[in-house]
Amino acid sequence: MRAARLIKMVLLLQSRPVMTAAELARELEVSERTVTRDAQALSEAGVPVYADRGRAGGYRLVGGYRTRLTGLDRGEAEALFLSGVPGALREIGLEDAASAARLKVSAALMPSLRDASRTAAQRFHLDAPDWFREPKTPELLPAVAEAVWDDLRVTARYRRGEEETVRELEPYGLVLKAGVWYVCARVVGPGSFRVYRVDRFTAVDAGAGARFERDGGFDLPAFWDERAAQFARSVLRAEVVVRLSEEGVRRLPHAVGPVPARAALEAVGAAAGRDGRGWVTVTLPVESEEVAHEQLTALGPEAEVLAPEALRERFARDAERLAALYRP
């Protein structure tokens, strides 16, 4: 434990011209007295740590000392590529590895480039969860992440509605979509690839730690894009006919989502079907009449439902109730 802390202290001093005892204590999560003892231990071991006293003082390395302990191990190197997603790193247990990797890279850089990580962090930040949602880390996410990293075959119990199923899986990759974690896995036996929500796992067992051999042709980003598009199409099981104003056309993707909006508008073309008022009639794919009612309500007077008749009547009743509420 202390050896790792001493190495980290050297790397910190190598990456910055000078650091106060308070700064080192905060970075190392120890007391300033422990920093003093560690600096003395490094000095006795031949590392030229020098303490400047006074208000502007602190600890620094003298004589251009450079440690060779800057090589990244495999886990740190992999975590470094995910370091722009700090929340995700924390949830899958890689925060410490990414921190160590960034520190080693910073220590290996030329002095003029050592502030690159700080300046980049102040300019770019990825906030993955959706708005107005309190993201909750799935309890079994660390176990699934470990299986993904180590290519471990797992036996997983998965909740579907009120039922639970058991699957033997080869987990290939994790995807964080709008604050929800998914695992892309190959089902042992059928050999097909499927997508599972991690928060619906009720048990994950790696057993004896048996490893599986990855399919070298599997491309996680391409697989996810294809499955996401299939899912978006599969849930659109019904259709409604709607007249839209120009403002309604503009707002349609925000109300119903880009996939069904694009399908509806591309079917009629840019100008086809527009009447003298500039309104356009489209056939809109939707999940259900219930969902369509909720989504199209957001368009207010910029949309008129023409079919099915039951949905049109529902909007007519809504209009009557609104008129009664706002009637003088």
Side-chain angles (χ1 to χ4, degrees):
M1 186 72 174
R2 190 189 185 198
R5 190 175 71 242
L6 292 175
I7 292 172
K8 186 174 182 179
M9 184 174 180
V10 173
L11 293 172
L12 285 167
L13 293 174
Q14 186 172 311
S15 64
R16 307 179 195 179
V18 63
M19 293 186 69
T20 66
E23 290 172 335
L24 283 168
R26 184 167 56 252
E27 292 281 355
L28 299 172
E29 299 180 348
V30 296
S31 67
E32 293 186 30
R33 180 173 297 180
T34 298
V35 169
T36 301
R37 289 199 296 265
D38 285 351
Q40 180 64 32
L42 287 171
S43 181
E44 292 174 356
V47 179
V49 178
Y50 182 77
D52 290 316
R53 302 192 180 279
R55 180 176 298 179
Y59 291 92
R60 61 185 176 87
L61 294 173
V62 297
Y65 179 84
R66 306 286 296 176
T67 176
R68 296 181 179 273
L69 297 173
T70 54
L72 300 178
D73 64 31
R74 182 176 181 82
E76 292 167 346
E78 291 170 334
L80 187 61
F81 288 101
L82 295 172
S83 59
V85 198
L89 281 171
R90 185 168 53 252
E91 291 180 3
I92 60 178
L94 289 176
E95 186 176 29
D96 290 342
S99 176
R102 288 193 296 269
L103 184 59
K104 290 181 177 182
V105 169
S106 179
L109 291 173
M110 296 172 56
S112 60
L113 298 178
R114 286 178 187 162
D115 66 342
S117 60
R118 181 183 61 80
T119 56
Q122 294 303 317
R123 287 164 174 79
F124 301 100
H125 176 68
L126 176 62
D127 185 9
D130 202 357
W131 285 104
F132 311 117
R133 290 186 57 177
E134 194 67 35
K136 184 178 180 181
T137 304
E139 182 179 348
L140 295 174
L141 178 60
V144 175
E146 182 179 359
V148 169
W149 283 120
D150 295 336
D151 297 338
L152 297 177
R153 183 175 294 180
V154 300
T155 301
R157 187 177 294 275
Y158 189 73
R159 186 179 66 255
R160 288 185 179 275
E162 299 298 322
E163 300 180 352
E164 288 190 353
T165 59
V166 178
R167 294 282 187 272
E168 193 170 359
L169 304 175
E170 296 176 348
Y172 269 62
L174 283 165
V175 176
L176 178 60
K177 171 71 171 179
V180 180
W181 283 98
Y182 299 86
V183 61
C184 304
R186 182 165 58 186
V187 182
V188 176
S192 58
F193 284 93
R194 298 182 186 177
V195 177
Y196 299 88
R197 279 185 58 148
V198 178
D199 59 3
R200 292 181 182 170
F201 284 120
T202 58
V204 175
D205 182 13
R211 296 180 180 273
F212 63 89
E213 186 173 344
R214 280 179 169 263
D215 180 352
F218 180 79
D219 184 331
L220 179 60
F223 172 80
W224 176 260
D225 287 345
E226 179 185 350
R227 289 305 172 93
Q230 288 178 0
F231 173 77
R233 292 191 297 267
S234 69
V235 298
L236 304 176
R237 302 186 182 93
E239 291 183 342
V240 299
V241 181
V242 190
R243 287 179 68 242
L244 300 167
S245 68
E246 292 186 13
E247 177 64 14
V249 170
R250 187 187 68 81
R251 289 165 48 185
L252 186 65
H254 304 286
V256 304
V259 173
R262 184 168 57 247
L265 295 173
E266 287 179 350
V268 298
R274 293 188 181 274
D275 59 21
R277 298 170 53 198
W279 287 54
V280 61
T281 299
V282 301
T283 299
L284 181 69
V286 295
E287 291 185 45
S288 64
E289 289 187 19
E290 186 70 30
V291 172
H293 175 261
E294 180 180 342
Q295 294 175 331
L296 295 175
T297 296
L299 297 180
E302 307 302 330
E304 177 191 1
V305 173
L306 302 179
E309 186 62 30
L311 184 58
R312 179 178 174 84
E313 291 176 356
R314 186 169 181 176
F315 274 99
R317 290 193 297 270
D318 290 348
E320 291 174 358
R321 292 175 60 194
L322 281 170
L325 286 173
Y326 289 99
R327 186 177 296 121

